[in-house]
Amino acid sequence: MTAALRNYLIITGNYWAFTITDGAIRMLVVLHFYQLGYSPFAIAMLFVFYEVFGIVTNFVGGWLGARIGLNRTMQVGTALQIVALLLLTVPGDWLTVFYVMSAQALSGIAKDLNKMSAKAGVKLVAGAADDQLFKWVAWITGSKNALKGLGFFVGAALLAWLGFRWANVALAALLVFGLLATLRLPEGLGAMKQKPGFSAMLSQQPAINWLSAARLFLFGARDVWFVVALPVYLVSIGWNFEWVGGYLAVWVMGYGMVQASAPSLLRNGRHPVGPGSAMLWISILAVTPMLIWLGMVLKFEPAWVLTIGLGVFGAVFAVNSALHSYLILRFSPADKASMNVGFYYAANAGGRLLGTVLSGYAYQTIGIEGCLLISTGFILTAAGFTWGMNRNLSLTPSVS
């Protein structure tokens, strides 16, 4: 086994363990507090700090990774997630809204430190070949999302089997193994020889700015119905926790498998994979939530409309996400990978924050149909920024 492959497998293994806990926490909190009688908007508020601190962490984490190494930022992120899980094991009377929001803030910091470290780390260990980079980033991203889907099911199942407190203990134990594995990563992975100032975090490349803006609205379009609206809607029509967790798990796992397969799917086309591919696929995605909305308005069977419609949405969204994850690394020089990835994922976290808040509020005020209309508008906005990226793209020959 080459050193590059070994390091890639360590990064991926830690990211897998972390991702299972991240998906499980999300499902645990949504279902547990809905069971306690919290409104959809109140549940959404529990995740506000998670997303807000994610935005900040991506900015700071990218800069920090360039100074101390991605191996260290990954270890810090994993350790913080263990602490966040253990904070949720306190007696039930302690679990006030502010307390849970604070624990979720720590989890948000941990998640984005880990994600930034993993994605930027792939750029460093994959080498210069575009094909290798696309395959490895698609695989780590796709497998991560498949395991996040598994995490949804694990969280729902652990809640039913062990209860809220012991479910969090079990997840913390899983992460200890991931933390130990990262100790074998090279010291100072991705650290710059000349330590950058914090102002270097602001991207000077137009392509990265356009892509980051598109990413913000792309993920807002997903989370506006996915985070709170969909699981609460399914419980409201009579689904039990295991069915809700299983349904969302299958959706995200399928989404992850498509994402991991994106290089094979796109390489079969006649045109090379690049910025133009992102424009094509965001245009296709814009149609899907509108068709789901139409099926709901026409009173078709909701279970069938959601199962088929969201299956199509997930597959097309997966290709879009894989293309974005590839392009941000392709646009980034190796010595600036952590900072550019941090800037880009700050926009990603901003989209999740926007979608999360709207998911609870929009569902409570205009229902699942309203969430789908907002999703359509966000995708069209993302398409506009993607068009701007293609029109104004100014890259060096090595990445154009």
Side-chain angles (χ1 to χ4, degrees):
M1 183 185 298
T2 65
L5 180 58
R6 183 199 66 206
N7 293 333
Y8 176 74
L9 292 176
I10 291 172
I11 290 169
T12 303
N14 174 267
Y15 200 31
W16 282 355
F18 193 100
T19 297
I20 291 173
T21 67
D22 188 53
I25 290 176
R26 180 64 60 112
M27 196 54 53
L28 280 169
V29 171
V30 169
L31 296 180
H32 179 66
F33 284 92
Y34 182 72
Q35 189 180 36
L36 294 178
Y38 284 66
S39 71
F41 183 64
I43 294 172
M45 290 299 99
L46 296 174
F47 297 105
V48 166
F49 281 3
Y50 175 95
E51 304 296 359
V52 168
F53 280 87
I55 298 171
V56 176
T57 300
N58 277 296
F59 271 114
V60 177
W63 170 76
L64 194 62
R67 293 182 68 89
I68 67 173
L70 296 171
N71 58 311
R72 290 284 179 245
T73 52
M74 178 171 282
Q75 289 158 7
V76 170
T78 306
L80 287 177
Q81 182 79 326
I82 294 171
V83 174
L85 285 160
L86 294 178
L87 285 175
L88 295 176
T89 64
V90 298
D93 292 344
W94 293 21
L95 295 174
T96 63
V97 170
F98 181 76
Y99 183 90
V100 176
M101 289 176 71
S102 300
Q104 286 296 293
L106 196 61
S107 183
I109 294 170
K111 192 281 295 290
D112 283 295
L113 272 178
N114 197 278
K115 175 190 280 189
M116 181 279 301
S117 302
K119 296 293 182 68
V122 170
K123 170 74 175 182
L124 296 172
V125 301
D130 276 352
D131 283 349
Q132 180 84 307
L133 177 61
F134 194 13
K135 288 177 183 177
W136 279 15
V137 74
W139 173 249
I140 193 173
T141 304
S143 61
K144 181 269 293 187
N145 283 309
L147 287 170
K148 188 168 186 176
L150 177 62
F152 289 151
F153 176 75
V154 168
L158 287 177
L159 179 62
W161 299 339
L162 300 179
F164 188 73
R165 180 184 301 179
W166 287 105
N168 283 288
V169 171
L171 294 171
L174 171 64
L175 266 190
V176 171
F177 294 100
L179 178 59
L180 292 175
T182 64
L183 298 178
R184 298 192 62 192
L185 288 173
E187 189 66 28
L189 179 67
M192 295 178 67
K193 293 180 180 179
Q194 290 186 338
K195 305 304 182 185
F198 189 72
S199 61
M201 276 300 301
L202 299 177
S203 176
Q204 303 300 311
Q205 290 180 249
I208 290 176
N209 295 329
W210 285 104
L211 182 63
S212 298
R215 185 77 173 190
L216 187 153
F217 285 97
L218 178 68
F219 273 75
R222 183 197 66 179
D223 285 359
V224 72
W225 56 263
F226 188 77
V227 172
V228 176
L230 183 60
V232 170
Y233 174 77
L234 293 176
V235 170
S236 74
I237 62 174
W239 291 31
N240 62 31
F241 291 163
E242 289 91 339
W243 275 104
V244 173
Y247 176 85
L248 297 179
V250 169
W251 188 91
V252 178
M253 290 170 72
Y255 158 72
M257 287 188 286
V258 173
Q259 201 169 35
S261 303
S264 299
L265 294 172
L266 297 178
R267 292 295 182 194
N268 290 331
R270 290 181 294 177
H271 302 290
V273 176
S277 306
M279 188 69 241
L280 171 64
W281 283 94
I282 193 69
S283 301
I284 297 171
L285 183 65
V287 179
T288 55
M290 180 59 70
L291 292 177
I292 301 170
W293 171 83
L294 185 61
M296 299 288 286
V297 169
L298 294 176
K299 306 297 183 184
F300 294 149
E301 173 58 41
W304 284 107
V305 171
L306 290 172
T307 301
I308 297 173
L310 294 180
V312 174
F313 180 97
V316 180
F317 187 93
V319 175
N320 276 274
S321 182
L323 281 167
H324 280 207
S325 296
Y326 165 62
L327 289 174
I328 185 61
L329 294 180
R330 180 176 163 185
F331 293 165
S332 300
D335 62 343
K336 296 183 178 178
S338 66
M339 291 188 292
N340 284 341
V341 169
F343 177 81
Y344 167 79
Y345 277 111
N348 188 99
R352 292 198 315 264
L353 172 62
L354 181 60
T356 296
V357 173
L358 282 176
S359 186
Y361 181 76
Y363 178 76
Q364 192 167 310
T365 54
I366 54 180
I368 191 76
E369 296 88 348
C371 293
L372 290 166
L373 286 178
I374 294 172
S375 178
T376 302
F378 279 8
I379 295 170
L380 291 173
T381 304
F385 283 115
T386 305
W387 177 84
M389 177 185 70
N390 279 273
R391 186 172 182 271
N392 294 280
L393 196 56
S394 177
L395 300 173
T396 61
S398 62
V399 294
S400 59

